[in-house]
């Protein structure tokens, strides 16, 4: 068994809790990994919360300063679940200390930062991964196999959409995700990057795009202690804060291989608690996916008998090893936390084997390039190249 010692930074936030729980269950859920996974550090500004989590998880060290964990010689893996603006600084320090790094998305604020981290990671010879978790779902592995086999022909069109309504209500309070200083790209890096990860994983690089990424609600109530997904209004304070990053994004793009794409995403789609869909069209058929049927892919083939053509539902099941890690029967569906646990297991698996897996820092750099191009296009009001 290979020991893997982990430090989780931002341990009390949503992602920090999800990641910590994944490591705690890792050896029981994925015994074939051959890893002895142990969390040594939980780091968070909420030190009391981190101490309680450490008690429950049996973690030895708690702190508020991420530098303590990053420089600990016992730590093998730095897991970054901090606000976006800290990703670059912390990942850079971790790489300089020879650590493997698993960083939540968005990877970095800019392409230049991504370039620097990619170069550092290559020099350090460590495993890196960015938390673009949705494509880890085995249903998307199946979609990729179908596309790469040529079963639906050459890809001609991609349509993708992802919306939440966390801030559809104008009274929903301000949180750090709406602060351009802490999250420069707003919903583009937060939710748009999920769609971009599907594009990269399933189809490939994008050459150019044109995008509109507006702020719809310029101010939000300033409510102490407001959290992501908190009820609106939590309380009336009479104070407001300016929203300084995009609420929504709409784009048209051209893929390097010739396909065209349209993508839209937002945090203000009132009533759309969580919507994620894509449609991929080819010269011989098409596939569609809807998160509401999380383990189902819909396949259409022109080669089917005329008069009997139509979309066929394929329910992913235990014939896929990742699905079988959790469930013995098809169509039960994997939840979000299980997908994140699968993702974390891929990180540990790469550390054990020494073999990196998508999306490494180098892969995630392409997704940052898409975010960069969206922000540039919104500012220029014209088509912009994607600087892969």
């Amino acid at each position: 068994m290979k020991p893997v010692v982990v430090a989780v930074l931002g341990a009390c936030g949503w992602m920090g809790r999800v990641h910590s729980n994944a490591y705690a269950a890792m050896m029981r859920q994925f015994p074939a990994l051959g890893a002895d996974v142990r969390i040594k550090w939980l780091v968070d500004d909420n030190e009391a919360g981190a101490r309680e989590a450490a008690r429950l998880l049996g973690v030895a060290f708690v702190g508020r300063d991420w530098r303590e964990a990053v420089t600990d010689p016992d730590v093998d893996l730095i897991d970054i679940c901090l606000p976006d603006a800290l990703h670059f600084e912390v990942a850079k320090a971790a790489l300089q200390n020879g650590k493997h790094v698993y960083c939540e998305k968005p990877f970095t604020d800019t392409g230049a930062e991504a370039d620097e981290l990619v170069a550092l990671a290559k020099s350090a010879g460590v495993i890196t991964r960015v938390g673009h978790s949705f494509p880890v779902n085995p249903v998307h592995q199946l979609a990729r196999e179908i596309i790469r086999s040529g079963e639906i022909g050459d890809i001609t069109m991609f349509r993708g959409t992802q919306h939440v309504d966390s801030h559809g209500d104008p009274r929903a309070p301000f949180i750090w995700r709406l602060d351009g200083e802490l999250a420069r790209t707003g919903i583009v890096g937060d939710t748009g990057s999920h769609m971009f990860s599907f594009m990269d994983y399933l189809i490939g690089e994008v050459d150019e795009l044109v995008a509109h990424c507006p702020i719809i609600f310029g101010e939000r109530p300033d409510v102490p202690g407001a959290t992501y997904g908190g009820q609106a209004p939590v309380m009336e304070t009479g104070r407001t804060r300016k929203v300084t990053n995009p609420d929504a994004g709409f784009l048209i793009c051209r893929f390097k291989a010739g396909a065209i794409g349209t993508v839209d995403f937002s945090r203000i789609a009132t009533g759309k608690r969580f919507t994620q869909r894509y449609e991929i069209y080819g010269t011989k058929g098409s596939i569609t996916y809807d998160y509401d049927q999380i383990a189902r892919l819909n396949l259409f083939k022109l080669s089917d008998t005329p008069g009997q053509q139509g979309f066929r539902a394929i329910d992913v099941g235990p014939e896929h090893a990742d699905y079988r890690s959790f469930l013995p029967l098809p169509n039960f569906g994997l939840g979000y936390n299980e997908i994140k646990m699968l993702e974390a297991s891929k990180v540990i698996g790469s550390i054990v084997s020494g073999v990196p897996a998508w999306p490494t820092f180098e892969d995630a750099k392409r997704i940052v390039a898409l975010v960069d191009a969206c922000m540039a296009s919104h500012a220029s009001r014209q088509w912009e190249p994607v600087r892969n």
Side-chain angles (χ1 to χ4, degrees), residues 180-224:
E181 292 295 317
L182 295 177
R184 185 183 75 87
T185 60
I187 203 65
V188 185
D190 190 8
T191 293
S193 66
H194 287 310
M195 274 295 115
F196 301 158
S197 71
F198 283 128
M199 292 157 66
D200 188 78
Y201 183 71
L202 296 173
I203 300 175
E205 293 183 20
V206 173
D207 265 346
E208 61 178 348
L209 60 79
V210 61
H212 180 54
C213 306
I215 297 172
I216 304 298
F217 299 106
E219 291 186 337
R220 293 280 180 183
D222 185 12
V223 179

Side-chain angles (χ1 to χ4, degrees), residues 201-327:
Y201 183 71
L202 296 173
I203 300 175
E205 293 183 20
V206 173
D207 265 346
E208 61 178 348
L209 60 79
V210 61
H212 180 54
C213 306
I215 297 172
I216 304 298
F217 299 106
E219 291 186 337
R220 293 280 180 183
D222 185 12
V223 179
T227 59
Y228 195 41
Q231 295 298 307
V234 178
M235 59 184 286
E236 297 293 342
T237 65
R239 298 189 305 272
T240 62
R241 288 186 63 180
K242 289 188 179 300
V243 175
T244 52
N245 59 29
D247 283 321
F250 310 87
L251 67 101
I252 304 170
C253 66
R254 297 189 184 102
F255 288 88
K256 183 169 287 188
I260 59 172
T262 63
V263 183
D264 56 89
F265 45 85
S266 82
R267 59 192 176 204
I268 56 165
T270 310
K272 294 291 186 182
R273 301 306 193 194
F274 182 83
T275 295
Q276 182 188 82
R277 301 189 186 106
Y278 62 70
E279 302 169 3
I280 300 173
Y281 299 96
T283 54
K284 297 180 181 178
S286 59
I287 54 177
T288 69
Y289 170 77
D290 187 331
Y291 188 87
D292 286 352
Q293 296 176 308
I294 195 169
R296 175 170 290 179
L297 194 71
N298 301 293
L299 172 65
F300 176 90
K301 296 168 66 174
L302 284 172
S303 60
D304 288 345
T305 303
Q308 298 180 18
Q309 291 176 345
F311 279 97
R312 175 166 59 92
I314 304 172
D315 292 326
V316 170
E319 65 276 7
H320 295 266
D322 286 344
Y323 184 100
R324 191 168 61 247
S325 296
F326 293 96
L327 296 164

Side-chain angles (χ1 to χ4, degrees), residues 36-304:
D36 180 6
V37 181
R38 176 171 63 91
I39 306 172
K40 181 176 180 181
W41 281 91
L42 295 179
V43 177
D44 201 278
D45 280 345
N46 177 4
E47 193 166 359
R51 289 196 181 282
E52 176 61 10
R55 184 186 69 80
L56 294 170
L57 294 171
V59 174
F61 291 87
V62 170
R64 297 187 64 187
D65 186 352
W66 56 263
R67 294 168 185 83
E68 291 184 275
V70 165
T71 55
D72 184 338
D74 291 341
V75 171
D76 301 300
L77 172 64
I78 297 295
D79 184 322
I80 303 171
C81 300
L82 297 164
D84 304 0
L86 292 171
H87 289 188
F88 172 71
E89 178 187 6
V90 177
K92 181 176 179 178
L95 293 170
Q96 289 172 333
N97 280 274
K99 310 299 187 187
H100 305 295
V101 184
Y102 173 22
C103 180
E104 263 304 331
K105 58 85 203 162
F107 173 30
T108 59
D109 277 344
T110 67
E113 290 178 347
D115 286 339
E116 185 173 346
L117 293 183
V118 168
L120 274 173
K122 286 182 177 178
S123 177
V126 296
I127 293 298
T128 62
R129 190 169 180 121
V130 175
H132 294 294
S133 58
F134 286 111
V136 176
N137 181 345
V139 76
H140 306 302
Q141 297 172 31
L142 175 61
R144 191 185 199 193
E145 290 167 9
I146 290 170
I147 291 167
R148 292 194 167 189
S149 72
E151 197 168 346
I152 62 171
D154 296 329
I155 304 305
T156 57
M157 287 196 302
F158 173 89
R159 295 181 62 194
T161 184
Q162 183 165 322
H163 294 269
V164 296
D165 72 344
S166 61
H167 287 81
D169 188 335
R171 301 169 300 165
F174 187 93
I175 59 172
W176 70 262
R177 292 172 185 264
L178 283 63
D179 185 342
E181 292 295 317
L182 295 177
R184 185 183 75 87
T185 60
I187 203 65
V188 185
D190 190 8
T191 293
S193 66
H194 287 310
M195 274 295 115
F196 301 158
S197 71
F198 283 128
M199 292 157 66
D200 188 78
Y201 183 71
L202 296 173
I203 300 175
E205 293 183 20
V206 173
D207 265 346
E208 61 178 348
L209 60 79
V210 61
H212 180 54
C213 306
I215 297 172
I216 304 298
F217 299 106
E219 291 186 337
R220 293 280 180 183
D222 185 12
V223 179
T227 59
Y228 195 41
Q231 295 298 307
V234 178
M235 59 184 286
E236 297 293 342
T237 65
R239 298 189 305 272
T240 62
R241 288 186 63 180
K242 289 188 179 300
V243 175
T244 52
N245 59 29
D247 283 321
F250 310 87
L251 67 101
I252 304 170
C253 66
R254 297 189 184 102
F255 288 88
K256 183 169 287 188
I260 59 172
T262 63
V263 183
D264 56 89
F265 45 85
S266 82
R267 59 192 176 204
I268 56 165
T270 310
K272 294 291 186 182
R273 301 306 193 194
F274 182 83
T275 295
Q276 182 188 82
R277 301 189 186 106
Y278 62 70
E279 302 169 3
I280 300 173
Y281 299 96
T283 54
K284 297 180 181 178
S286 59
I287 54 177
T288 69
Y289 170 77
D290 187 331
Y291 188 87
D292 286 352
Q293 296 176 308
I294 195 169
R296 175 170 290 179
L297 194 71
N298 301 293
L299 172 65
F300 176 90
K301 296 168 66 174
L302 284 172
S303 60
D304 288 345

